[in-house]
């Protein structure tokens, strides 16, 4: 995979990395730009900051879709700047000394004016993490969904999608809110962009996993039978089935 900017809509660029098949974004306005996620450490953040500067001299604002290292730990390379995140995300980054003491908080919905372009930052609810934020660029119908949706080779979620901070039971409802944005292009946190059907596919699969998990915990199914009935690979299904109760 070549690491380069690809314009997926007018003034909206995507940069994908072979490591973890990570996607980051850049949204251009007439007065400032918005960087969507910042990679995984100081070196990677500096590489991304340099890549942004090769595209535009505009002052940047940063948004972090969630606190996992691959999306968030490159933040120092962009500071000082306005940096947006959900309070749960920001608190975790501060606790880990990956962010300064004060950030700009997305508790529910925030609109940013980049200059002749409006961008919406929204917290659709607890899901992949307690502090997920998505980025909607309404004039071109692009939605950066973070890890609320993924698109791995041959499927959607990976086993790593379901961490200790995931609230599986709430995730489908968060995806219902994503669908209200009426995006035509959905950018997952990992994998290639897709159409809006990806959100519904992920939601249906999560509902199936929740049903299977309930059946296993009640004794109606054993784990092997649940794995056979799952739409996802065995390692992904097992990660969801064995996740602590949420």
């Amino acid at each position: 995979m070549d690491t380069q900017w690809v314009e997926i809509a007018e003034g909206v660029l995507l940069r994908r990395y072979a490591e973890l098949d990570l996607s980051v974004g850049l949204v251009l306005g007439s007065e400032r730009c918005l960087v969507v996620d910042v990679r995984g450490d100081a070196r990677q953040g500096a590489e991304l900051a340099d890549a942004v500067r090769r595209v535009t001299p505009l002052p940047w604002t940063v948004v972090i879709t969630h606190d996992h290292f691959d999306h968030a730990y490159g933040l120092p390379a962009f500071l000082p700047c306005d940096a947006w995140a959900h309070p749960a995300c920001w608190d975790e980054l501060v606790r880990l000394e990956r962010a300064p003491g004060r950030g700009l908080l997305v508790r529910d919905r925030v609109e940013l004016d980049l200059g002749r372009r409006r961008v919406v930052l929204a917290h659709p609810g607890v899901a992949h993490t307690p502090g997920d934020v998505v980025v909607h660029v309404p004039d071109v119908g692009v939605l950066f969904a973070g890890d609320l949706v993924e698109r791995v080779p041959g499927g959607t979620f990976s086993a790593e999608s379901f961490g200790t901070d995931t609230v599986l039971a709430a995730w489908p409802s968060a995806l219902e809110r994503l669908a209200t944005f009426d995006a035509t292009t959905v950018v997952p946190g990992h994998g290639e962009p897709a159409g809006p059907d990806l959100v519904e596919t992920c939601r249906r699969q999560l509902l199936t996993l929740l049903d299977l998990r309930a059946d296993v915990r009640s004794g109606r199914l054993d784990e092997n039978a649940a794995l056979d009935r799952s739409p996802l690979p065995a390692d992904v299904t097992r990660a969801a089935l064995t996740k602590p109760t949420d």
Side-chain angles (χ1 to χ4, degrees):
M1 181 190 306
D2 292 334
T3 304
Q4 58 185 344
W5 291 110
V6 176
E7 190 169 33
I8 57 174
E10 184 178 357
V12 180
L13 289 80
L14 174 67
R15 190 172 178 86
R16 295 180 59 207
Y17 292 88
E19 183 179 3
L20 302 177
D21 201 4
L22 178 74
S23 295
V24 299
L26 177 63
V27 184
L28 303 176
S30 63
E31 298 176 6
R32 61 190 60 83
C33 65
L34 178 68
V35 180
V36 183
D37 284 342
V38 289
R39 302 194 69 198
D41 58 29
R43 178 186 61 81
Q44 292 181 353
E47 182 278 333
L48 178 58
D50 180 69
V52 171
R53 277 292 165 255
R54 293 199 299 271
V55 172
T56 177
L58 289 170
W60 56 46
T61 297
V62 167
V63 57
I64 307 297
T65 62
H66 60 294
D67 60 49
H68 290 171
F69 81 96
D70 47 334
H71 298 262
Y73 287 11
L75 178 60
F78 292 86
L79 298 175
C81 71
D82 288 344
W84 293 87
H86 185 270
C89 170
W90 195 262
D91 288 348
E92 180 65 6
L93 294 178
V94 170
R95 184 185 73 81
L96 296 171
E97 299 183 348
R98 300 289 181 171
R102 182 172 181 177
L104 301 175
L105 301 181
V106 184
R107 300 183 187 277
D108 179 43
R109 176 188 173 98
V110 172
E111 290 193 10
L112 301 182
D113 182 0
L114 302 182
R116 290 185 285 186
R117 166 164 272 166
R118 178 175 60 92
V119 176
V120 176
L121 314 180
H123 170 59
V126 174
H128 176 64
T129 72
D132 296 303
V133 167
V134 300
V135 180
H136 185 217
V137 191
D139 65 299
V140 289
V142 173
L143 179 69
F144 289 93
D147 285 1
L148 285 169
V149 299
E150 294 187 27
R151 197 180 185 199
V152 301
T156 52
F157 298 108
S158 66
E160 291 72 27
S161 302
F162 307 108
T164 57
D165 53 350
T166 295
V167 182
L168 188 62
W171 200 332
S173 295
L175 294 186
E176 287 180 6
R177 184 173 179 190
L178 259 60
T180 66
F181 286 108
D182 293 326
T184 55
T185 302
V186 176
V187 181
H190 301 270
E192 296 181 358
D197 289 349
L198 178 62
V199 175
E200 178 58 20
T201 296
C202 290
R203 190 185 73 86
R204 289 199 308 268
Q205 291 178 346
L206 290 168
L207 289 172
T208 299
L209 290 175
L210 284 166
D211 288 343
L212 292 173
R213 189 177 71 170
D215 287 343
V216 169
R217 288 177 175 173
S218 69
R220 291 189 294 270
L221 285 178
D222 64 25
E223 184 175 300
N224 287 333
L227 295 178
D228 289 341
R229 296 186 186 187
S230 174
L232 293 165
D235 64 322
V236 181
T237 303
R238 190 175 289 109
L241 295 181
T242 58
K243 192 186 173 307
T245 302
D246 50 42

